[in-house]
Amino acid sequence: MAEITLHAKSRTEFGKGASRRIRHGGMVPAIVYGRSEDNIPVALDPKQIYGVLRSEAGRNTILNLEVEGGGKSDVILKDWQVDPVSETILHADFQRIAMDKLLRVTVPIAIRGEAIGVKADEGILELILREVEVECLPGDIPERIECDVSALALHDSIRIGELPSPDKVEILAEADRVVAHVVSVKIEEEEVAEA
């Protein structure tokens, strides 16, 4: 997994007004925390965050955060807030990570194939889970967990325990939890009025 380098500036002003001034200046306020170190408030260009979210690994990308005058840290983008109207990023949280310590992250489930029950029996493939929490070392974070639905007949399902787990990755969800299933189409028959 390729690392992305982000450049940030430390900030000394806090609060709602200071955050607005930072955003008005074209930056996003953020916080860096974790690994029993002091929290560092920073500001960075929102284009860098959009670049991380659009990368192949998305939010689970290992980032090298360089804080101007404050050193470097390996981090992941843990959370972010988006304005519901303008869809601009308002704030970001970065968590420091150690490359030799286990980490819990959420990974998307990628559906592959077309279910037999959809092709032959006119069923509908219903996705119940779109992501799953996993635990692994930061260097082993998978981009996605593949789920092949090709063999699913009508009323069949795939559960977490049946997903192929990548090496060195533990899926933390219950094994009997349904990921996807094929259901039949319900047709409501019109009642025929008696003459």
Side-chain angles (χ1 to χ4, degrees), residues 41 50 57 66 96 122 133 143 149 159-160 193:
Y50 289 124
E66 294 181 1
R96 289 185 196 98
E122 298 180 3
E133 188 176 26
E143 291 177 14
V149 296
R159 300 182 184 277
I160 291 285

Side-chain angles (χ1 to χ4, degrees), residues 109-129:
I109 296 173
I111 300 299
R112 214 182 42 199
E114 186 176 356
I116 295 170
V118 172
K119 286 193 283 188
D121 299 322
E122 298 180 3
I124 297 174
L125 178 67
E126 190 174 45
L127 305 177
I128 308 298
L129 281 180

Side-chain angles (χ1 to χ4, degrees), residues 23-62:
R23 287 185 205 105
H24 187 69
M27 303 287 271
V28 172
I31 190 84
V32 182
Y33 62 87
R35 280 194 2 219
S36 303
E37 296 178 33
D38 291 338
N39 295 346
I40 302 174
V42 296
L44 65 155
D45 188 338
K47 292 177 186 172
Q48 295 181 87
I49 299 172
Y50 289 124
V52 170
L53 294 173
R54 291 182 184 125
S55 68
E56 277 190 49
R59 66 183 293 174
N60 294 325
T61 303
I62 298 170

